[in-house]
Structure formats: structure tokens, C-alpha cells
Amino acid sequence: MASDSFSIALAQLNPVLGDFSGNVFRARTARDKANEAGADLILFSELYIAGYPPEDLVLKPAFQQAAMAAVEELAKDTADGGPAVLVGSPWRKDGVSYNAVALLDRGAVQALTFKNNLPNYGVFDEKRVFVPGPMPGPLNIRGIRIGVPICEDIWSADAAECLSETGAEMLLVPNGSPFDARKRDHRLNVTIARVVETGLPLVYLNQVGGQDELVFDGASFVLNADRHLALQLPDWEEALVVSRWSRGDPGWVCARGEVAEIQDQNQALYCAMVLGLKDYVNKNRFPGVVIGLSGGVDSALTAAVAVDALGHQRVRCVLMPSRYTSRESVEDAEQVAAMLNVTLDRIPIEPPIAAVGQVLDPLFAGLKSDITEENIQSRVRGLILMAISNKFGPMVVTTGNKSEMSVGYATLYGDMCGGYNVLKDLYKTQVFALSRWRNQRRPANCSGPIGPVMPDRVISKAPTAELRSNQKDEDSLPPYSVMDGILELLVEGEMGFDEVVARGFDAETVKRVEQLLYSSEYKRRQAAPGVKLSSRNFGRDRRYPITNAFRNAR
């Protein structure tokens, strides 16, 4: 007969995709700690053994076999009488592949449950690589009937309702839920709805860490059947917390434990960029990063994120002045480097620009200088940064923001050059806001200075690419305060021309921005990956054709 008390360890961990031995080692370490704390069961996140999302690797038979072998290896540990294990893994059965959770106990795989509701929108392509499992039933875990709906299974009512009707006493939900700025409240609302509908307590266990463009915020929690929050794990960091449960007349109740403070939006956005870059660099084994530091706000914020993620010793900055670089920009770049305590190399670009010009003079004879010469400057800078990367090993971090990526205000193989971009999903107005915010406070677990990271002048001065005399961004673009508002409606909102104009924007400006947005798709297709922060990032979320004659504004 089952006891009326039960302890469940929540393992909010940061797996490395494809590192089966490493993920098993981390799981063993967590289970050992859970055992010391008296846990009866430990829960890991969705597809933990493989890492999430594994994308088309799941189609590779050797990958499937390695995942299942890792689960079988971990299962042997449970012969010691310690905690049972619920762990996510790809699983191949009867010739098809499932997104599965395995119950490990008494030294073997005791049961499997498969994800029924496979997401196929936004960043998710699970129907491409998995087959939907049957509607789930509860697992008998040491005498307790526990429902294990997997991530998307709780975003509609069916799976939770089926589990409730078939006798589940609680719901444990392993997740691989990527961060975006609007999702957190939505997650809570969804889980509360499932609790209300089923009358069951619910554990929401999420992955933490960066995987390519996705970043997972953790922020796991426990809701009792009365909808009250019993536990809240921290966001942006690994955690192992043991929840204590007792069974009475109303069913299972989780004792109230620590409720960590969840960060506000600015801090969440900043921490997402820090963790995304940190894991991209470390998991891909780069020794550090190199950044072109111009004296502008984009490169200053990028450098601050890099130092907070990696420490100042692993960040190298390069100032590459031309004849158009102002004294003010040089001073600002030098001051940013000093405030962040990073190495700053100064490499003037006039000599290589002159050499390129000399080579092209016979071909360009009689033609006026134009954007061609401006782009040569940008591409010379990209060449220098890539040469430093090749020679010394650090990855180039590019510094373009979402506003520039939207309208093509960037140079292919120039300022777009790089291996990763932390600002890729951040509009220019957000860049200003986060720069002001970071100057006022430093989040926990960051390695940069506690005080300001850039001079106020870097934030307040008019943005400029400095590729010609007296150039300002707003010579070529609408004011960012206007353009970003239009872009958010066109990109995140997918609104039509008339809808955007009805929000109070000038029709000709909307038409111009829409034209730039559509015609710049070929550039975005070649852009570096970057941290997903919004509900519609360029790349995984928003997949538009390059060849596209459609225009809503005529």
C-alpha cells in the first residue's frame, strides 16, 4: 500500500545536446543529491537524455540507439533502492520514433509514456521527426498513479482530462519550453486552467540553458489543486529542489517551499542574451569572442553582454577607425573597453580601403562614389575580425539589432559577419532601454562590472554607421521610435498595411518600411544565428521566401 507522504525532486538542469555520457553523468549527480535529501522520485525535463530540441538528429538511427542505450544505462542505477526516475528521451518502438518519458525503477525501464500533442508551429517541427503517441494514461510509481503529460500535451485540455478520468492523482509535466518575452504569463494561465479542469496538483518542470538560437529560462513551479503556488524555482540557473507531498481528504498537497523571485522583463531579456551567448560559446568550445567596438550603443551593449557571459578575459574588442570615424566615437569605444576591462586593439582601416580602391579604380573609372564604397569599409572591418578569429580562435560576435535586420540596414559580409548575434531579436529602442537598465544594475551570475558598462553619451547620441561624412541612421530610415512600432505590428503582429495605418502611422512610412522588410529577406537568410527573445524572431519563427512579389501596400 502506498504511503501518504511522497517526495519528488525537480531537476532543472542544462543538458548538452547529443552529449549522452555528460547528460547521464549530470542526471546521476542530481539523483545522488535527491537520494541524500530523501526523494522518492526525480523528474527530468523533456528529452533530457538527448538535449532539446534535437531536430533532424532524431532521424539518425545511431542517435536514437545512443539515446535509448543511455536511458538503459541510467536505469541500472535505480537497482540501489534510491529514487525512481522520470526522464525524457527519444524512443523508437515498432519502427517509429516517439518523444517519450521513461520510468526507471528497480534497475530497469518499467514503463514508457509518449507525447501525444506534437507542436508544429513557430520554432517547433516535432511532427517532422516524431509520431504522436496514444492519449496517455497514468503511470503507477510506487503505488501512486501519476500522469505525465509532456510539454505541449497540457496546452490543450485533452491529455490532462484523459489522465484525470483514468485515475491520475497528480500531473508531472516535463518541458522544453523556450523563452520569449510574452510567454511566462501564458504558461501560468495554461497550467492553472489544467488544474481547474482536473482538480489535480501540477508540477511544471522546465529545462534551462541555451541551444543554438533558443534559450530556456527554467522557472519551474508547483501548483496545488487549489491553484496556489507551492514552489517556484529560480529562472536562468540550474536548480535541484525536493518537493514534499502529503495525501489527505482533498488528495495530494505539496508543502509550501521556497518561491524564488522571477525577474522583470528587462532583466529577463538581458539574462536570456547572457545565457544564450554563454552556452553557445561554451558548448561549441570557443575560447572566447571578438567584437568590433565602434563607440556606438549596439557594439557597447554586445560587449557588455559578452563580458557578463564569459568574463572580461575571454572578450577581445577591436576599434577599426576610418576617415569618417569621429573623435567622439574613438573616445567612447576606448571608455567602454576601459569600463568593461577588456583588451582593445586599434586597427585603422584606411590602408586596406585604399588598396581595395586601387584594385577597383580601372573598373570604377568615371563613376561616382556611392554605397559601394561605404560597404567596402564595412567589409574590410569584417575581414579583419575574421582574420583575428582565424588566427587566435575567438568567435566573432556581430552587433546588428532587429530593426537593422528587418529593413536591411546592414552589409552582407561586413557588419553582418560573425558566428552569433545577441541583439538579433532586439529592436533598437529596446537596445537603448536595456543599455540604460544595465548601467543601473547587474543581474546575479553575471561576470561584468557592478556599475555602469558604457558612458551615457553612447546611449544618448544619434546613431550613425559613420561610413560617410555627417551620416546619421535617420538620413536613411524613419526615426527608430516610429519604425520599431511599425515593425512590431508587421513582424510580431503579422498585420496588414491597412491595420498598421489604422494604428496611427503615416501610410507612406508604413509602405516604405514594409517594402524594406520584404526586400531584405535574402540578407536575413545569410545572417548569423542569435538569441530568440520575442514571439516572432527571424529564422526559426518567421520563415518567409526570398523570392516574393507580394506587397500588401500598393
Side-chain angles (χ1 to χ4, degrees):
M1 183 175 177
S3 169
D4 287 335
S5 63
F6 199 66
S7 295
I8 304 171
L10 311 183
Q12 179 176 289
L13 301 183
N14 185 350
V16 178
L17 203 150
D19 181 14
F20 294 108
S21 61
N23 293 341
V24 168
F25 175 80
R26 284 180 278 273
R28 282 177 169 151
T29 302
R31 183 175 178 272
D32 288 345
K33 291 179 180 177
N35 190 34
E36 292 172 5
D40 301 295
L41 173 68
I42 183 168
L43 175 66
F44 293 92
S45 55
E46 179 180 15
L47 294 180
Y48 167 82
I49 282 291
Y52 186 83
E55 302 186 73
D56 282 8
L57 272 173
V58 172
L59 302 175
K60 193 174 184 67
F63 187 86
Q64 298 168 1
Q65 293 161 12
M68 294 169 68
V71 172
E72 298 280 2
E73 180 185 347
L74 185 61
K76 294 175 184 177
D77 293 1
T78 61
D80 65 3
V85 174
L86 282 172
V87 65
S89 175
W91 202 267
R92 190 157 183 86
K93 182 179 180 183
D94 299 329
V96 295
S97 297
Y98 296 99
N99 182 334
V101 167
L103 169 61
L104 317 181
D105 203 6
R106 302 188 301 277
V109 177
Q110 297 295 333
L112 293 161
T113 188
F114 301 133
K115 190 173 184 177
N116 170 259
N117 188 6
L118 300 179
N120 220 56
Y121 59 87
V123 303
F124 305 108
D125 284 316
E126 290 199 30
K127 289 182 180 178
R128 175 184 174 89
V129 296
F130 292 119
V131 170
M135 196 62 70
L139 304 177
N140 190 324
I141 303 178
R142 300 188 177 182
I144 302 171
R145 294 175 64 79
I146 295 179
V148 189
I150 303 171
C151 198
E152 192 77 13
D153 283 341
I154 66 162
W155 286 73
S156 61
D158 294 349
E161 181 182 357
C162 181
L163 287 163
S164 174
E165 291 175 350
T166 51
E169 300 173 64
M170 64 176 70
L171 301 176
L172 305 188
V173 189
N175 289 268
S177 182
F179 168 79
D180 77 52
R182 300 179 181 180
K183 184 184 282 188
R184 289 181 165 190
D185 289 343
H186 193 20
R187 281 182 194 153
L188 186 59
N189 291 337
V190 166
T191 52
I192 288 174
R194 301 294 87 84
V195 169
V196 170
E197 291 158 4
T198 63
L200 299 176
L202 183 149
V203 176
Y204 184 98
L205 189 279
N206 194 23
Q207 175 175 314
V208 70
Q211 171 57 36
D212 293 351
E213 292 189 287
L214 302 183
V215 64
F216 300 84
D217 53 330
S220 307
F221 57 87
V222 177
L223 291 172
N224 274 318
D226 62 2
R227 294 173 289 169
H228 282 89
L229 189 67
L231 285 174
Q232 175 66 68
L233 276 62
D235 48 7
W236 308 115
E237 61 184 75
E238 291 187 306
L240 180 69
V241 174
V242 178
S243 58
R244 310 288 181 180
W245 297 75
S246 59
R247 177 161 46 187
D249 290 338
W252 287 99
V253 176
C254 180
R256 184 173 173 83
E258 182 179 354
V259 176
E261 182 180 355
I262 298 302
Q263 297 163 359
D264 63 27
Q265 181 152 309
N266 278 340
Q267 187 161 344
L269 289 170
Y270 193 85
C271 288
M273 292 191 294
V274 169
L275 184 56
L277 179 64
K278 180 178 182 178
D279 275 2
Y280 193 85
V281 170
N282 290 339
K283 290 180 179 181
N284 288 294
R285 301 178 183 178
F286 289 104
V289 297
V290 58
I291 299 165
L293 198 61
S294 67
V297 68
D298 293 325
S299 63
L301 182 60
T302 299
V305 170
V307 171
D308 279 334
L310 305 170
H312 69 92
Q313 303 93 333
R314 298 177 67 192
V315 179
R316 183 173 192 166
C317 292
V318 186
L319 171 62
M320 295 169 282
S322 75
R323 73 182 73 175
Y324 302 117
T325 303
S326 67
R327 179 177 56 83
E328 182 182 82
S329 291
V330 172
E331 291 172 352
D332 289 343
E334 290 173 343
Q335 193 167 352
V336 168
M339 294 169 83
L340 293 172
N341 193 25
V342 295
T343 298
L344 180 65
D345 297 301
R346 180 167 176 160
I347 304 177
I349 63 171
E350 285 302 324
I353 289 173
V356 173
Q358 185 176 2
V359 170
L360 292 172
D361 272 348
L363 189 63
F364 289 178
L367 300 176
K368 292 182 179 179
S369 294
D370 55 19
I371 195 172
T372 306
E373 284 72 21
E374 294 181 25
N375 286 340
I376 287 171
Q377 297 173 62
S378 183
R379 289 177 176 132
V380 164
R381 290 184 170 117
L383 184 150
I384 290 170
L385 291 173
M386 286 306 302
I388 292 170
S389 176
N390 290 162
K391 185 64 69 176
F392 302 107
M395 180 189 73
V396 178
V397 178
T398 186
T399 61
N401 58 67
K402 191 171 187 176
S403 305
E404 295 169 346
M405 293 297 101
S406 296
V407 297
Y409 194 66
T411 304
L412 275 173
Y413 327 118
D415 57 324
M416 290 177 65
C417 176
Y420 205 69
N421 182 354
V422 296
L423 307 185
K424 184 178 180 179
D425 204 21
L426 204 66
Y427 288 114
K428 187 76 169 191
T429 47
Q430 294 176 296
V431 171
F432 290 133
L434 279 186
S435 297
R436 295 186 189 97
W437 178 88
R438 178 58 183 87
N439 264 357
Q440 296 170 358
R441 58 186 296 195
R442 184 194 70 179
N445 301 322
C446 284
S447 300
I450 293 175
V453 294
M454 66 186 76
D456 289 338
R457 185 171 69 178
V458 170
I459 306 170
S460 62
K461 67 185 179 183
T464 172
E466 291 191 322
L467 297 176
R468 62 176 182 267
S469 295
N470 300 315
Q471 184 184 31
K472 299 291 185 290
D473 289 3
E474 291 184 7
D475 297 339
S476 305
L477 301 172
Y480 284 113
S481 57
V482 173
M483 188 172 74
D484 287 357
I486 294 171
L487 286 170
E488 188 168 359
L489 297 178
L490 291 173
V491 176
E492 278 81 4
E494 287 288 3
M495 291 186 182
F497 172 79
D498 292 336
E499 291 177 279
V500 177
V501 173
R503 296 293 184 100
F505 292 99
D506 172 71
E508 284 303 311
T509 303
V510 175
K511 182 177 181 179
R512 179 183 171 204
V513 171
E514 185 198 52
Q515 170 64 31
L516 290 170
L517 176 65
Y518 282 169
S519 63
S520 300
E521 188 63 39
Y522 78 101
K523 286 188 177 182
R524 288 190 292 273
R525 193 69 65 89
Q526 300 178 69
V531 186
K532 170 180 160 60
L533 302 170
S534 73
S535 59
R536 295 281 285 174
N537 78 321
F538 291 126
R540 295 182 65 96
D541 275 322
R542 187 181 184 276
R543 310 177 197 183
Y544 269 52
I546 295 172
T547 304
N548 173 19
F550 173 77
R551 298 292 183 271
N552 190 215
R554 297 292 181 183

